[in-house]
Amino acid sequence: MKFKIYVLSIALCLGFSACEKYLEVGNPKNELPSTLAFSDDKTATASVSGIYVRMNQLNYQFANVLSMILPAMSADEFVYAAAFATYDEFKNNAVLPSNSYVNTLWSQPYQYISQANMCIEGLEKATNLSPQVKAQLLGEAKFIRAFNYFYLVNFFGDVPLLLTSDITLNNVRQRDPQADVYAAIIKDLQEAKASLFDGYPSGVKTNVAAAERIRPNKAAASALLARTYLYTKRWAEAESEASEVIKNQSYKLVSANDLEKTFQKNSVESIWQLQPVNIGGGRNTWEGFLIVPATATASPLFRMIPNYLYNAFEAGDKRDEKWVGKFVASPTVTHKFPSKYKVRTATGTLQEYTMVLRLAEQYLIRAEANYNLKKFDLAEGDINIIRNRANLGSLSLANNEAEVRKALEQERRVELFGEWGHRWFDLRRWPSVTGTAGKTRADDILPALKAGWKPTAIYLPLPQSALLANPNLTQND
């Protein structure tokens, strides 16, 4: 694959945007050499912050592909109400290498990784930055790189591990084993955690706990590290990192009666959010704009699948009341749709930000870690915290391993639906309850829903464009 190098420009440093140019053509007059981009605290902060802005400017794709829609359709959560061949491939788990969204899933993370690599190299060479700012920015850049590799490895399996800006090597890099990619993710997050602020930086030299939660801090690194340890079966370390976040008094679960406020900007449950930028048209988040029906009488385009997520909520579950929209299509037909984000369009101040990491997941990570450590009572305790927050009663599972596993899956399903591919990744990573070697939870559930389901569909194909550009890449089955 031919990887573009993003040269840092004056627009990036002053307005937090970026331009795409090949280094081989030289630096145009409106671009700053990388040495100047990291010459002082202000320009260095703008260079790193520009990556978030780019992620937000492209958040239509991020929301559409990563955050909500396509992973949910790949799993057993949503369907699209209209015929659309590109979406249907995900719905049917028969995705082709030519699918444009597959290319997005591959190319966008690598774009952000490329920018993060350039920032890391520039920051490491910088000599005029204050130590606090340099440490924070290095931590943020490593966090961004780890975050994007986490999604690449979970969508594609083995992927090229690019840790420098050397395009000569990157353009011909073979796929690296998942274990090596995860090791790099963990190393980046450990180093990020060691250098990030406890609070949220709001400016160049500011460490203010009350600042907006739109730049990752130490807790964000811990939260993603806890998830990564969980996925790599390092149970004790997952439990430890999740506990560290849970004990942090900066974060609280939103109460049952206020669940509709969970996805508002800077909610008490948010650990890291992306701030919408330049969306226009009164939109807050792309998630809200894509999911929320245009009017009260408009039928929702994305609908929960009957007999699956549609029916997964227990009676009295506040999540069903607060996070699920209902549209009565006829006296006998009611469509349910995801309604975690409430704002389609609104004038004035933004009300919602894209939620990336939040506290509830950390309780469920700790529960799953303790389940695998055979500490079933502790796992049950965290499951009940999430249930109680949703206005459901506590379970008494009497250390029954099978019942704890079942309760854990249920709570992850109804708590994290439609967020960043959690359900799809869970189905892919959990072993089959039948105990059949090599089978996953996806093999238990999806054959009844999707005609022609094949176990190899747990990973996406590499995009055709990448294979054509780099002959050293190999395709998934």
Side-chain angles (χ1 to χ4, degrees):
M1 172 180 185
K2 189 169 185 179
F3 295 97
K4 295 181 180 179
I5 295 298
Y6 294 86
V7 181
L8 302 169
S9 67
I10 291 175
L12 169 66
C13 296
L14 298 181
F16 299 160
S17 63
C19 67
E20 304 177 19
K21 300 289 183 183
Y22 290 111
L23 286 180
E24 62 195 28
V25 302
N27 292 335
K29 292 181 180 179
N30 68 333
E31 293 176 352
L32 291 173
S34 60
T35 53
L36 293 181
F38 301 97
S39 60
D40 57 42
D41 288 351
K42 183 177 180 180
T43 57
T45 300
S47 297
V48 175
S49 298
I51 306 177
Y52 307 127
V53 175
R54 183 171 181 80
M55 291 168 72
N56 277 299
Q57 286 172 332
L58 295 178
N59 198 30
Y60 170 77
Q61 299 287 10
F62 236 49
N64 192 17
V65 178
L66 274 177
S67 177
M68 260 195 161
I69 297 169
L70 298 186
M73 291 199 297
S74 296
D76 55 351
E77 295 185 310
F78 310 157
V79 292
Y80 188 58
F84 182 34
T86 310
Y87 280 177
D88 290 345
E89 291 180 19
F90 286 87
K91 180 188 71 174
N92 298 325
N93 297 93
V95 183
L96 298 175
S98 58
N99 188 294
S100 61
Y101 290 125
V102 169
N103 186 65
T104 298
L105 281 167
W106 177 274
S107 63
Q108 280 198 11
Y110 272 120
Q111 290 173 13
Y112 308 137
I113 288 166
S114 175
Q115 290 178 281
N117 284 339
M118 292 184 69
C119 286
I120 291 167
E121 292 169 2
L123 289 164
E124 288 176 340
K125 294 175 183 177
T127 58
N128 295 325
L129 306 182
S130 62
Q132 185 186 37
V133 169
K134 184 173 182 176
Q136 171 69 21
L137 295 179
L138 271 171
E140 289 186 55
K142 290 178 179 179
F143 175 92
I144 292 168
R145 184 166 68 181
F147 176 80
N148 282 283
Y149 269 122
F150 179 87
Y151 282 92
L152 281 169
V153 76
N154 276 284
F155 278 118
F156 296 101
D158 300 345
V159 294
L161 184 58
L162 313 179
L163 301 177
T164 76
S165 62
D166 188 336
I167 59 174
T168 303
L169 297 177
N170 291 348
N171 286 349
V172 295
R173 180 85 179 193
Q174 296 179 345
R175 298 171 70 179
D176 289 277
Q178 291 185 56
D180 293 349
V181 180
Y182 271 120
I185 292 169
I186 290 170
K187 181 175 183 293
D188 270 349
L189 290 173
Q190 288 173 335
E191 292 177 358
K193 180 183 173 183
S195 62
L196 287 169
F197 294 166
D198 289 318
Y200 289 92
S202 59
V204 174
K205 295 184 178 180
T206 308
N207 183 7
V208 181
E212 293 201 306
R213 302 178 178 197
I214 57 176
R215 290 171 61 185
N217 65 350
K218 193 180 296 290
S222 275
L224 187 54
L225 194 53
R227 188 197 297 174
T228 305
Y229 282 142
L230 189 76
Y231 277 44
T232 53
K233 302 181 180 181
R234 294 169 64 167
W235 313 123
E237 290 150 303
E239 189 278 337
S240 177
E241 292 293 338
S243 291
E244 189 171 328
V245 179
I246 290 168
K247 292 174 184 175
N248 189 323
Q249 294 302 303
S250 297
Y251 310 104
K252 296 180 177 16
L253 293 174
V254 175
S255 67
N257 290 327
D258 289 329
L259 277 179
E260 72 278 0
K261 299 179 181 178
T262 305
F263 296 84
Q264 292 181 357
K265 66 177 184 180
N266 306 312
S267 80
V268 294
E269 192 165 324
S270 64
I271 300 170
W272 180 45
Q273 296 178 305
L274 285 169
Q275 181 186 41
V277 176
N278 296 332
I279 292 179
R283 303 176 183 93
N284 278 214
T285 64
W286 279 112
E287 289 88 345
F289 183 72
L290 291 167
I291 294 290
V292 177
T295 67
T297 58
S299 183
L301 282 173
F302 296 94
R303 302 169 182 174
M304 294 181 175
I305 302 173
N307 300 320
Y308 287 87
L309 182 59
Y310 185 105
N311 306 93
F313 298 88
E314 298 173 49
D317 192 330
K318 283 287 186 179
R319 291 167 295 199
D320 188 35
E321 175 186 333
K322 302 284 190 175
W323 290 350
V324 177
K326 284 86 174 179
F327 177 81
V328 180
S330 73
T332 58
V333 177
T334 297
H335 298 302
K336 288 186 177 182
F337 61 93
S339 185
K340 287 181 170 179
Y341 293 88
K342 308 297 183 184
V343 180
R344 179 180 172 85
T345 58
T347 57
T349 305
L350 293 175
Q351 301 170 44
E352 296 178 336
Y353 290 170
T354 293
M355 183 73 77
V356 188
L357 297 170
R358 63 185 180 96
L359 181 61
E361 184 198 354
Q362 298 301 304
Y363 281 99
L364 295 171
I365 286 173
R366 190 167 70 175
E368 186 174 343
N370 279 321
Y371 163 79
N372 284 285
L373 291 168
K374 307 300 182 183
K375 299 177 181 178
F376 302 128
D377 57 333
L378 296 179
E380 179 185 302
D382 280 332
I383 291 169
N384 282 333
I385 287 173
I386 298 301
R387 287 179 59 81
N388 295 161
R389 188 276 285 271
N391 205 40
L392 296 176
S394 295
L395 300 173
S396 297
L397 303 175
N399 284 330
N400 184 307
E401 180 173 356
E403 290 301 312
V404 174
R405 188 213 60 78
K406 183 178 178 182
L408 174 65
E409 179 174 344
Q410 166 67 8
E411 289 311 308
R412 286 188 64 89
R413 185 182 189 186
V414 295
E415 178 68 31
L416 301 174
F417 71 88
E419 294 183 52
W420 293 93
H422 284 294
R423 176 64 174 172
W424 173 238
F425 293 161
D426 288 349
L427 294 178
R428 186 189 61 73
R429 68 189 178 86
W430 286 337
S432 168
V433 296
T434 66
T436 305
K439 295 293 186 180
T440 66
R441 195 75 180 104
D443 296 317
D444 295 340
I445 292 173
L446 298 184
L449 177 62
K450 308 190 182 222
W453 164 259
K454 295 179 181 179
T456 51
I458 59 173
Y459 290 116
L460 293 174
L462 273 63
Q464 191 64 33
S465 58
L467 294 169
L468 291 173
N470 181 358
N472 292 325
L473 294 178
T474 55
Q475 184 60 279
N476 284 329
D477 289 339

